[in-house]
Amino acid sequence: MNSSFRILIKSPKFMFGACTLLAMIGLVLIYPLFNRSDPLEMIALAYQPPDAKLLLGSDNFGRDLFLELIYGIRTSLQVGLIAGVFATAIGLVIGLTSGYIGGMIDNLLTAVTNIFIVIPSFVILILISVSIDSRSSFVTAVIIGVTSWPWTARAVRAQTSSLRNRDHVNIAKISGYSTPRIIVSEILPYIASYVVMAFVLQTASGILSEASISMLGLGPYNTISLGIIMNWALVFEAPVAGAWWAFIPAAISIAMITFSLYMMNTGMDEIFNPKIRS
Amino acid sequence: MKGNNVLIEGKNLTKVFGFGGNKTTAVDNVSFAFHEGEIISIVGESGSGKTTLAKLIMGLLKESAGTIEYMGKPRRLKRHSDRRKYWKHIQAIFQDPFSSFNQFYRVEKLLLDCIKLQGEKLTKEEQLRRMKEACSFVNLKYEELHNKYPFELSGGQMQRLMIARIFILHPKLLIADEPTSMVDACSRSTILDMLLKLREENNMTIIFITHDVGLAYYVSDTLYIMEQGKVVEKGPAEEVILNPKHPYTRQLISDVPKIHSEWDLA
Ligand SMILES: Nc1ncnc2c1ncn2[C@@H]1O[C@H](COP(=O)(O)OP(=O)(O)OP(=O)(O)O)[C@@H](O)[C@H]1O
Ligand SMILES: [Mg+2]
């Protein structure tokens, strides 16, 4: 595992993605320490263009958009990570169970997974979001996670069921290992790099999903996320007013975060896949 | 060496893979009785169901039909503790040494696990002594190997480590699935000698699985010839080789010119 990490550091794609992401995380963690104002405070006129004091101008309520953006990135990253954790955890548990145990349970879980794949998860996402009244950003993240696990489950199942028949698993069995121990020591290490990659992708798509439902006005309440900033810009007709600073920076931030995550994923894919195949 | 006590007996074993159109009957109505201390060879060409039969005996695959009795009683493998007990007595060396190792763990762990399966409370020094003894039994140096990962080993070293594992476990029954598939002719006879020496030490029953009739004749008391999942001929090695009844056995033997010339001279 240590050596995998050392190889990763040498991959330019992975390092590019990781550095961009870390820089953004650093910015959103540190900036609020210096500028302690409330991002929801109205301090200027509506749609002030960017200048030396308001780096990204103001929105329709006269709030500092740069500060909003910082908090928005923070919320979006949090939502993405939580959604990624949930999606990966559920996908992993279902995939491992179904792939390792096989038989009827496998058929059942595969059927359930396929149903979730066939129903567009975005539709479920909208339906659940509409039906829940008090949505915090955590609840939104969980809803996203719970609707996006099927691809992970499917891939984990495929890898597990081929690993299950390998002889080192048989050796572990006849050495008296219990099933949980076999899964942890004989299956998980072989799919770990894949699971990390899936987690990175799920995080990226979690951020996109949050932005999409927030754009529709179904996002979390009482918080600022990148999607919510864009929703405000849309509702209060920033494009008509020519206030590009109200939505372009948020869109670019989303693009940068997801792009850096995709770069990390591609970097890992290039390194781990030949290793898995060999 | 062959005793009269039946150690393990299979009755009408059948294993079917898949269902519907792509059904394969890998083992088809096979019965056998293996005695204590007996050396049995199961011979057959690729795809004849040898490995599947071995996995049925190991309890790693569930039989589609038929029963297996161990020491006169139907074996029970429902609970984990039952299986652990069974595997203290019955062990295997699998066909492919490369996939028999978990590439994430050092060699040491494989041997330590065997010592743990024995269930004895041992001090660190005693454990180390046993591992060293096992390695020297198969002509390997524990000091050089214990810290290595499997991908740093050669195929032959892997196979010998698998035998070291058996040395620690000293089971009553060993199933060796083509234990010499990865090594040259010279190491092949060393590996066979090691296995035969193991058996001398604790009267182990050995089932060799091979597609090499010559080798089977050389090492075993009893031969089972398998063709497409069925046992087509079985009996004492001499009798089967010198006086084959089934055409498939004859064909297998005629593919090995060396044996013919041997008894042409005799
Ligand atoms: N897990 C499985 N699922 C489906 N079919 C299988 C499975 N394992 C084995 N088979 C089929 O069962 C038949 C017997 O396979 P088996 O591995 O027992 O042959 P073998 O005699 O060991 O061959 P070899 O000498 O090549 O090792 C083959 O046709 C194989 O395709
Ligand atoms: Mg085989």
Side-chain angles (χ1 to χ4, degrees), chain A residues 1 107 165-171 173-179 181 184-186 189-190 275 278, chain B residues 55 58 60 80 84 87 91-92 94-96 99-105 109-110 113 117 162 165:
Chain A
M1 283 284 94
N107 292 339
N165 289 320
R166 289 173 55 128
D167 282 339
H168 63 87
V169 175
N170 287 327
I171 289 278
K173 279 185 189 164
I174 66 176
S175 299
Y177 279 33
S178 62
T179 305
R181 201 172 151 205
V184 169
S185 72
E186 309 292 318
Y190 284 85
K275 207 174 139 199
S278 74
Chain B
K55 288 192 172 153
M58 288 304 298
L60 288 170
H80 181 63
R84 251 182 99 99
W87 289 327
Q91 278 294 327
F94 294 112
Q95 193 161 3
D96 177 8
S99 77
S100 296
F101 283 84
N102 183 333
Q103 55 162 326
F104 291 92
Y105 294 113
K109 186 171 175 294
L110 178 90
D113 280 341
L117 180 64
M162 282 294 149
R165 196 176 158 271

Side-chain angles (χ1 to χ4, degrees), chain A residues 202-245:
Chain A
Q202 300 273 23
T203 302
S205 78
I207 290 170
L208 287 177
S209 299
E210 187 277 334
S212 313
I213 51 169
S214 292
M215 279 283 281
L216 296 176
L218 294 169
Y221 299 150
N222 302 324
T223 184
I224 305 172
S225 75
L226 293 173
I228 291 173
I229 294 177
M230 307 235 289
N231 175 245
W232 284 332
L234 198 69
V235 171
F236 298 103
E237 298 189 324
V240 180
W244 54 267
W245 56 87

Side-chain angles (χ1 to χ4, degrees), chain A residues 44-59 65 241-246:
Chain A
L45 298 172
Y47 293 140
Q48 292 278 305
D51 59 24
K53 203 171 135 286
L54 293 171
L55 287 178
L56 289 175
S58 66
D59 70 359
L65 260 169
W244 54 267
W245 56 87

